[in-house]
Amino acid sequence: MPYIYHAFGLTIQSEFELPELIPGTGDPDVSIRSGRVPAQLDYARREHFRFQSRPGRLLLKIDHIAEFLISDGREIVVQVMPSAEPESVRLFLLGSALGAILHQRGILPLHASAVRVNGECIAFCGASGSGKSTTAGVFVNRGYELIADDICAVALDAKGQPLVYPEYTQLKLWEDSLNQSGQDPAAYSRVRHVLDKFKVPAGQGGGMEPVRFRKVYVLSPGHENRIAIHPLEGMARFGAIRDNTYRKKFVDGLGQSLDHFKTVSAIGKFVPVYRVDRPRKPFLLEELADRLEHDFMESCQENGS
Amino acid sequence: MKNIVWLASYPKSGNTWLRVFLANLMTGESKPFQINHLSRIIPGSASRAAFDGELGIDSADLDYDECDRLREGYHRFVAGRTSATLFYKIHDAFSFLPDGTCIVPRDVTKGAVYLVRNPLDVAVSYANHAAIGLDQAIDWINREDACLFGDRRRPHTQLRQRLLSWSGHVRSWTERDWGFEVHVMRYEDMKQEPETVFTRTARFIGMDAPTGRIRKALEFSDFKELKSQEERKGFAEKPMHCRSFFNQGKTGTWRTVLSAVQVRRIVERHGEMMDRFGYLEDGEPVY
């Protein structure tokens, strides 16, 4: 019997058990199955070192772990390599492979972690290592509900307004980040046994219904020694969303440039975006959280919500 | 096709200076090249952003050895996509992995420029760079297992780079014939006879240029210019705790900074390589 899950507003049927996702019911939008994956993608429009793409298809290879063929936003074929650990296969399946499904379906995966505030989505995006999960984690500790970690799925409603589709029940945090928030890494299991990165459960209580996209904070660690929040306008706002697209290099080869542009533009139009400067070290995590919390609570009140 | 030129060095040996010089020579603008755009023209071979873009995953989800095994193929793939010459900065020692792969794909390597600098000054400069004490900096250049970005507890913007010790690094790039030519540049000669030394390097990498252009590129990559750009706009490649990336840009700083014991710790450990590159005369440090 295949497993059925819900994530990113999709019903996913899988031959593999995926404990990271929330169990569900119903007719699947996406099916994940084991099978043979071709060595090359025929008629590839873009060829990269470890992935190839053309409209509707993406072939992704992860040496010694798994190869994935992702088709038409509907199917992921997984060829698991001998001796690959299931956790490792799942990490890339639920990461890049599902990310490709979202791109193929015209859903924008923003490279962000997000929490629910007054029923709306506050997202933290930024490059790898910018502190997305760590920042979302501190809000989870403060009682907010996690709605996305690493991939924040955004789609437009009938009026062209961006909505966020909640997903995960866990955060992936590096050892340093756990230490910063006073948590003991030994309490959690590793994302992969070779990495000092841990799976931290962060309960899903608020359901899977899409939520309004309230604000985006682009985390930008740098040389500054203090925290500063700057609103981004116009092209800078558009550019920040475009640049923080999860697996941005998938877009063009998949023939999704137009859909991607539309969603990015809609977010730029409806959702305030801020750049958050903070020192890379020390992280100033609690201070950062205080500042952000003050900022988003204030605007939620102004909004009357 | 062999189209990669490596600008290889142990850290703090003049690599950035050479990159800025080459960037100015390549672009030939009437204004100095902006140092914060350097990685667009001559990227670091260990940049995670570029690597991840070719892998289609977040390489932080791979461990350091898994990343190392991919680097040779990654560079070969990127080189194969163009007929242009590609320049990369590289701080990794020239070394092989247990499975026989190398970080550097020799079959597509056109050549390498290897920059070497007196380790006594490297230690002083590295102490500033990493904001650590001189003794710690000496420990680091003496360690056979020294790495850049080797801390596993958090993700980094660069891949882990194995350096070996200072001697190990120099030996790895210069002692054996790896099937491509290695052009050695000494930092001290770059300072003393810039025009001759940089002209020779430009010729080696196939960028022979008239003296006027070499002089212009040297003027635009002069230490004062780099320092002033950093003071005005900062330098993206500066580590967090380091006060300024372009610190002194001099030779012989060690004479006023290192104690006799500290000098001895370096000379005892690296005497053989120091002697080979002219940093010792009758067992005593010169420069």
Side-chain angles (χ1 to χ4, degrees), chain B residues 105-121:
Chain B
R106 285 162 289 168
D107 51 326
V108 295
T109 293
K110 189 172 165 186
V113 176
Y114 187 79
L115 297 103
V116 61
R117 183 183 188 182
N118 186 350
L120 296 164
D121 278 338

Side-chain angles (χ1 to χ4, degrees), chain A residues 4 27-28 33 40 96 102 108 151 177 233 263 268 295 303 305:
Chain A
I4 306 272
D27 294 334
R33 66 176 177 86
Q40 292 287 326
S96 291
L102 296 177
L108 173 76
I151 299 178
S177 149
E233 302 298 341
T263 313
D295 192 79
N303 195 37
S305 51

Side-chain angles (χ1 to χ4, degrees), chain B residues 152-223:
Chain B
R152 306 170 57 94
R153 292 167 304 177
R154 58 195 155 90
H156 302 281
T157 53
Q158 293 186 31
L159 298 166
R160 187 262 320 264
Q161 298 149 61
R162 285 184 201 277
L163 298 177
L164 311 178
S165 67
W166 179 83
S167 292
H169 194 279
V170 178
R171 185 176 288 123
S172 79
W173 278 95
T174 61
E175 203 166 63
R176 282 184 52 185
D177 179 1
W178 294 122
F180 55 85
E181 232 183 303
V182 178
H183 175 80
V184 175
M185 275 179 108
R186 289 200 317 175
Y187 184 84
E188 293 72 18
D189 299 332
M190 291 158 70
K191 292 299 284 188
Q192 268 177 13
E193 298 176 79
E195 201 175 303
T196 314
V197 171
F198 281 90
T199 302
R200 236 180 258 150
T201 300
R203 193 170 301 147
F204 171 78
I205 62 179
M207 284 176 49
D208 220 348
T211 312
R213 280 193 62 188
I214 300 270
R215 282 189 186 149
K216 202 78 195 155
L218 277 172
E219 184 193 322
F220 287 164
S221 53
D222 183 73
F223 186 78

Side-chain angles (χ1 to χ4, degrees), chain A residues 49 96 176 192 194 223, chain B residues 54 56 61 66 152 154 238:
Chain A
F49 176 43
S96 291
D176 242 19
R192 296 179 61 205
V194 291
H223 294 324
Chain B
E54 288 300 324
D61 286 336
E66 289 171 326
R152 306 170 57 94
R154 58 195 155 90
K238 179 186 86 73

Side-chain angles (χ1 to χ4, degrees), chain A residues 53-118:
Chain A
S53 52
R54 69 166 200 251
R57 291 268 192 294
L58 190 128
L59 174 67
L60 173 70
K61 299 180 175 193
I62 299 153
D63 295 18
H64 310 294
I65 296 175
E67 299 185 353
F68 301 95
L69 180 67
I70 303 115
S71 303
D72 302 319
R74 293 175 181 282
E75 185 187 62
I76 302 175
V77 179
V78 187
Q79 184 169 351
V80 176
M81 296 294 124
S83 81
E85 295 178 326
E87 297 84 33
S88 300
V89 176
R90 291 205 304 272
L91 181 64
F92 298 105
L93 170 61
L94 298 176
S96 291
L98 263 187
I101 287 278
L102 296 177
H103 278 301
Q104 288 171 343
R105 298 181 78 94
I107 299 171
L108 173 76
L110 194 64
H111 203 183
S113 298
V115 292
R116 192 190 301 262
V117 177
N118 293 334

Side-chain angles (χ1 to χ4, degrees), chain A residues 47-51 60 63 92 96 128-129 174-176 192 194-197 222-223 247 249-250 281, chain B residues 53-58 60-63 66 70 73-74 77 81 152-155 235 238 240-241:
Chain A
E47 292 198 38
H48 292 271
F49 176 43
R50 278 293 177 266
F51 70 95
L60 173 70
D63 295 18
F92 298 105
S96 291
S128 295
W174 290 91
E175 182 175 329
D176 242 19
R192 296 179 61 205
V194 291
L195 298 179
D196 293 334
K197 191 180 186 184
H223 294 324
R247 306 299 179 251
K249 290 232 170 171
F250 289 0
K281 253 185 164 184
Chain B
E54 288 300 324
L55 293 183
I57 59 170
D58 186 344
D61 286 336
L62 300 178
D63 81 3
E66 289 171 326
L70 289 163
Y74 157 71
F77 181 89
R81 211 157 40 187
R152 306 170 57 94
R153 292 167 304 177
R154 58 195 155 90
F235 183 35
K238 179 186 86 73
M240 181 63 209
H241 294 291

